[in-house]
Amino acid sequence: MLPNDIYLGLPGLEYLLSSFGRVLTEGTEEITREGRTASGRKVKERTARKKKFNLAWSVIDQADLETLYTILELNSELSIQLRRPDSSVDTYTVLMQPFDHTRLLAVGNGLWADLSIDLEEV
């Protein structure tokens, strides 16, 4: 595993994702319940904080696209492993959302552009 490698798939069966043209965005989703009391005071109860990830490729080839479709078709909780620059590895259990992509080149195996995948921690 090299720094900045990302693996995604079923736990123990993760695929190495192409790093060519890839951008990783990490964020946090806050799960809350909020409302107003009888006096009008606003209250907010934080239930949990969960990680959210976006993997985006400016350009991706047909083979890598098919790998991502294979992972999507698993319809299961997935494991994402992120290799950090300091060589540590963070692992999260996530759900993958369906994604769109744009045909860039139809010659040979083909190239695709503007692929963006959202993953949310379980």
Side-chain angles (χ1 to χ4, degrees):
M1 222 179 184
L2 298 173
N4 296 318
D5 276 353
I6 298 175
Y7 288 80
L8 180 66
L10 293 174
L13 299 171
E14 295 90 351
Y15 294 92
L16 175 62
L17 301 181
S18 172
S19 61
F20 179 74
R22 184 192 67 215
V23 176
L24 169 67
T25 304
E26 291 185 62
T28 304
E29 178 182 6
E30 191 171 75
I31 302 166
T32 63
R33 184 173 55 188
E34 58 183 72
R36 297 209 176 259
T37 64
S39 68
R41 181 172 177 258
K42 185 164 182 121
V43 293
K44 180 176 174 180
E45 176 187 359
R46 183 179 340 154
T47 306
R49 284 188 177 170
K50 297 290 184 175
K51 297 287 282 184
K52 60 182 180 177
F53 306 95
N54 178 270
L55 294 167
W57 286 264
S58 54
V59 176
I60 193 167
D61 68 15
Q62 183 69 34
D64 290 329
L65 180 67
E66 288 173 5
T67 297
L68 291 169
Y69 267 117
T70 299
I71 294 170
L72 177 65
E73 292 301 316
L74 294 171
N75 288 328
S76 183
E77 291 182 357
L78 304 171
S79 169
I80 186 169
Q81 296 178 350
L82 308 172
R83 178 75 180 233
R84 304 297 182 176
D86 66 358
S87 297
S88 64
V89 178
D90 293 333
T91 302
Y92 301 93
T93 301
V94 296
L95 293 174
M96 183 176 184
Q97 301 300 318
F99 53 87
D100 296 329
H101 49 284
T102 304
R103 167 79 73 183
L104 183 63
L105 182 65
V107 177
N109 287 336
L111 291 176
W112 298 87
D114 303 324
L115 179 85
S116 180
I117 296 174
D118 290 319
L119 302 162
E120 296 176 353
E121 185 180 15
V122 175

